[in-house]
Amino acid sequence: MKSVFYLLDTAPYGSEKAFGALNAAAVSLNKMHVVLGLYGDGVYLVAAGQDSNKLGVPNLSDILYSYGELNVLVHEPSLIERGLFGETLIETMELVDEKDFLEAMESSDCVILF
Amino acid sequence: MKTLTIVLTDGPYISEYAEIACKLAESALKQCHVNIFLYLDAVHIPKKGQNPSFFTNTGELFAGLAEKGAVIRACARCAASRGYTAEEETENGSNCRDYTPGIKISSLYELSEMLSKSDRVISL
């Protein structure tokens, strides 16, 4: 496999899935072409200015921002449905429509779902 | 020989993914090399001494797979956070006393290694 698409469709907090997807993507960066695709509630990950202190967990948006080399695709319809379009988002991501999101998934050698 | 990697993220009994993975792996082992990576709650799958009332014991299922040649590894961070620790000395092909034989705790980097060397990947 030369490329992997990590698909996250769960919210960043309340479970370990987003943290797990970020870690898995980070360790794959040296070996393969990596895309992190955010779909459904997964799009909340790119909202800027998150404060996770009271949850006692790291700010996952900051962690994502620090992986500048990671290709992050955000499903724009999911973002719009959640009222996040027009809000401040982290800069290191790309908004894509349904067609481009699916094409990116299809063109990857494998898809790992979180 | 081709390589199949199966990535699991759910714990046992909450879904049938562990049993499905087991059936797929058993079938695949007849013609290819099989890797299984246990991530997040899936690190509970190979726990020793499980006694489910209505389901097949996943610890024993996966020990059987390891015996048949599947390479089964669990994420160290996920395992540690759930109380499974890796030890230096291995017993029965495992490096965790709470795991069934043949299953080892390993670094998350092994997931990337498995994926990059695979011909097919299944995520459940």
Side-chain angles (χ1 to χ4, degrees), chain B residues 56-114:
Chain B
T56 313
N57 183 323
T58 58
E60 289 174 5
L61 278 180
F62 276 59
L65 276 182
E67 201 178 335
K68 288 172 189 162
V71 173
I72 306 174
R73 298 288 181 263
C75 165
R77 182 190 60 80
C78 307
S81 66
R82 289 159 178 83
Y84 305 108
T85 47
E87 295 167 18
E88 284 189 17
E89 288 185 26
T90 61
E91 290 175 18
N92 300 322
S94 174
N95 61 350
C96 174
R97 68 180 61 191
D98 296 318
Y99 274 178
T100 47
I103 292 106
K104 288 183 185 171
I105 292 174
S106 175
S107 157
L108 182 57
Y109 283 96
E110 190 139 353
L111 169 64
S112 150
E113 194 74 23
M114 285 177 171

Side-chain angles (χ1 to χ4, degrees), chain A residues 32-81:
Chain A
M32 292 182 285
H33 178 253
V34 183
V35 176
L36 176 65
L38 304 178
Y39 191 93
D41 283 349
V43 301
Y44 284 111
L45 189 59
V46 293
Q50 297 179 22
D51 180 4
S52 60
N53 278 334
K54 288 181 182 170
L55 295 172
V57 293
N59 183 328
L60 298 185
S61 171
D62 283 351
I63 291 177
L64 178 61
Y65 183 73
S66 70
Y67 295 143
E69 65 273 48
L70 182 62
N71 188 3
V72 183
L73 297 185
V74 180
H75 183 242
E76 194 173 79
S78 297
L79 201 78
I80 293 167
E81 284 164 12

Side-chain angles (χ1 to χ4, degrees), chain A residues 84 86 93 110:
Chain A
L84 287 174
M93 56 90 196
C110 65

